[in-house]
Amino acid sequence: MIKIFIGYDSCESVAFYTLAHSIWRRASQPVSITPIALHSLCDVHSRLRERYQSNDFTFSRWLVPYLCGYEGWAIFMDCDMIVLRDIVELWSYR
């Protein structure tokens, strides 16, 4: 299973779903896509938003190792990306 975490900002929800769809549409292996949404991480991420912070996942992206139990591999992607080829190609470089 390819674990993918995507930064989620409620102001950019369409971008999140567009990226997720672009991954699912082209993936030749099973993928697990998890949004990193601050509202669901209150127990582990309580940092206040800073004025220079461009989106909700500026700092929460660093939680990926924790969310994986510090085991294995995962891919983090900003929500303003799109995948034009099979994500397995990128996964093979790990």
Side-chain angles (χ1 to χ4, degrees):
M1 177 75 66
I2 299 172
K3 292 185 266 186
I4 301 170
F5 292 83
I6 299 175
Y8 181 85
D9 188 317
S10 60
C11 297
E12 301 173 5
S13 63
V14 172
F16 167 82
Y17 290 108
T18 301
L19 171 56
H21 175 69
S22 76
I23 294 167
W24 285 319
R25 182 173 179 208
R26 293 169 179 85
S28 63
Q29 292 182 15
V31 296
S32 166
I33 297 177
T34 304
I36 297 187
L38 285 184
H39 70 272
S40 65
L41 296 170
C42 298
D43 297 352
V44 294
H45 188 274
S46 59
R47 183 182 185 136
L48 297 176
R49 188 176 178 116
E50 296 181 9
R51 64 183 171 145
Y52 298 113
Q53 187 174 331
S54 61
N55 54 47
D56 277 354
F57 49 90
T58 298
F59 298 112
S60 60
R61 70 184 69 227
W62 305 110
L63 290 171
V64 170
Y66 169 80
L67 296 171
C68 291
Y70 300 101
E71 293 182 2
W73 291 86
I75 296 171
F76 173 85
M77 302 178 81
D78 285 353
C79 67
D80 62 353
M81 302 173 101
I82 193 163
V83 173
L84 299 176
R85 296 170 64 169
D86 189 346
I87 196 73
V88 171
E89 292 179 42
L90 177 63
W91 189 249
S92 70
Y93 289 109
R94 70 191 189 290

